[in-house]
Amino acid sequence: VSDDGLDGLLARVLDGDHRALARVLTVVESGDEDQLRTVTAALHPHAGRARVIGLTGPPGVGKSTLGNALTGALRAQGRTVGVVAVDPSSPVTGGALLGDRIRMQAHHADPGVFVRSSASRGHLGGVAATTPHAVTALDAAGFDVVLLETVGVGQSEVEVAATADTTVVVLAPGFGDGVQAAKAGLLEVADVLVVNQADREGAGALATTLAGMRDLGVPPDGWRAPIVRTVAVRGEGVDGLAEACEQHRAFLESTGALAERRRRRAAQAIRGIVLERLGRAMVAPEVDVASALPQRVADRQIDPFTAADELLGALGADVRPVRPTRRADR
Ligand SMILES: Nc1nc2c(ncn2[C@@H]2O[C@H](COP(=O)(O)OP(=O)(O)OP(=O)(O)O)[C@@H](O)[C@H]2O)c(=O)[nH]1
Ligand SMILES: [Mg+2]
């Protein structure tokens, strides 16, 4: 997209034009920092109105099916919904992009629904770096709710989920137990716990284990994640899920925790940009010195701290060493 064309597109996004939004999301995912910057500068001031709901969980538990059903429930309440499905290429469903598209065709003719599936991986920073900006774009485009689906397998995916106001962790019998989910850091980020595929054997046992794990700790913000059972393929329990999200939202608003979440999301976006830049700087030709450095350290010419100073100096990064404060300094 040319820079002139981009300005026009951005104006149309703010008017709620879905085709312009799709093209702007392509720019966001491309990882072109100059253009991403233009996009963000134009859209950031207009975002902040949408409720952002994250759906995460192990591959194949039914996140997309549930997201589709939840979209239907929200539409029935008269809310518009923008969906971002990140990297839906799990080993279980073998890349469910096509299946997701077919499922979401239920909402295809509905102008109150917009769906974006992005399987973009590979550029530095990956999906975790660009997802907050995609959420901003959908928010600025005026959707009442932004649904963010990520596969909760790695830390970055869990972090992506944590950029939401309300994080729904979806589990299902036969896809790992509560203990595994806890180890993956999934329970920690859960505001609502869903046992999907509740029509299958083991759903009750999974819900019991989850309740036990949840009640082991005291929630830092005072919210105890409700456990909702759903059969996403039949739409069962989905109104209950929408209600649980609504209650969590009311909790966030009444306790001031929403502002805290928004700050957390902002911090996440800043970190993503910094990491992206540092990552690029580390492989830039100017820092070829990196290849000579390890040899000098190995030859005992310099110590690793001096080498790190040299490298950071070459990057132009102002990253000072940590100095613990001594008593005399206080
Ligand atoms: N029995 C049963 N099957 C379900 C239910 N919900 C989803 N499924 C099936 O589970 C399979 C995976 O569903 P998806 O919605 O693609 O799961 P996902 O978590 O989005 O998968 P990835 O995006 O690949 O991680 C599909 O064949 C669904 O039809 C349910 O409540 N009960
Ligand atoms: Mg999916």
Side-chain angles (χ1 to χ4, degrees):
V1 181
S2 73
D3 288 351
D4 286 354
L6 188 53
D7 287 341
L9 278 180
L10 290 166
R12 281 161 55 203
V13 167
L14 292 174
D15 281 342
D17 180 331
H18 289 195
R19 282 188 57 209
L21 177 59
R23 291 187 60 194
V24 163
L25 287 173
T26 302
V27 171
V28 168
E29 288 158 9
S30 75
D32 177 329
E33 193 173 316
D34 283 339
Q35 292 207 324
L36 182 53
R37 206 178 179 130
T38 307
V39 168
T40 305
L43 301 184
H44 182 77
H46 300 278
R49 208 183 56 87
R51 301 180 172 199
V52 184
I53 299 178
L55 277 179
T56 193
V61 291
K63 297 176 296 297
S64 299
T65 313
L66 193 63
N68 187 29
L70 184 60
T71 298
L74 293 165
R75 288 300 291 138
Q77 296 173 0
R79 298 180 206 265
T80 58
V81 185
V83 183
V84 199
V86 179
D87 195 24
S89 54
S90 78
V92 174
T93 56
L97 260 180
L98 188 63
D100 286 351
R101 290 223 172 102
I102 291 165
R103 258 194 300 275
M104 289 309 280
Q105 262 171 16
H107 303 292
H108 188 73
D110 182 352
V113 176
F114 175 91
V115 181
R116 178 67 167 202
S117 289
S118 45
S120 60
R121 270 214 190 273
H123 62 84
L124 280 168
V127 286
T130 56
T131 304
H133 307 290
V135 170
T136 299
L138 272 91
D139 188 339
F143 293 101
D144 298 322
V145 178
V146 175
L147 270 188
L148 174 58
E149 180 196 334
T150 57
V151 181
V153 283
Q155 190 52 38
S156 68
E157 284 78 4
V158 170
E159 281 170 12
V160 166
T163 66
D165 298 324
T166 298
T167 298
V168 178
V169 170
V170 188
L171 299 167
F175 288 82
D177 57 16
V179 179
Q180 275 171 285
K183 278 188 187 153
L186 279 171
L187 298 193
E188 237 170 84
V189 297
D191 300 309
V192 177
L193 282 162
V194 170
V195 174
N196 187 42
Q197 309 202 8
D199 54 323
R200 295 182 50 220
E201 211 183 301
L206 177 57
T208 307
T209 316
L210 285 176
M213 305 271 320
R214 176 197 61 190
D215 296 338
L216 278 180
V218 181
D221 57 2
W223 172 261
R224 203 162 141 270
I227 298 169
V228 181
R229 295 192 205 190
T230 59
V231 183
V233 278
R234 297 202 293 257
E236 287 171 27
V238 177
D239 285 335
L241 171 58
E243 178 57 28
C245 291
E246 191 68 40
Q247 280 170 7
H248 181 248
R249 175 73 185 197
F251 167 84
L252 289 179
E253 282 177 356
S254 65
T255 58
L258 185 62
E260 150 93 31
R261 299 245 166 164
R262 295 287 164 108
R263 271 198 302 278
R264 193 169 79 181
R265 196 197 304 175
Q268 188 76 15
I270 299 167
R271 269 200 298 273
I273 294 164
V274 171
L275 282 175
E276 171 91 14
R277 285 196 196 161
L278 283 177
R280 244 184 301 135
M282 290 299 282
V283 296
E286 305 90 272
V287 293
D288 230 25
V289 57
S291 56
L293 271 184
Q295 190 61 56
R296 285 164 61 208
V297 174
D299 291 344
R300 312 278 154 194
Q301 292 168 11
I302 55 172
D303 66 71
F305 283 93
T306 309
D309 284 347
E310 262 184 47
L311 182 57
L312 289 171
L315 294 176
D318 181 16
V319 186
R320 276 172 282 245
V322 182
R323 286 209 177 82
T325 350
R326 291 197 196 131
R327 238 184 228 172
D329 299 340
R330 285 200 208 130

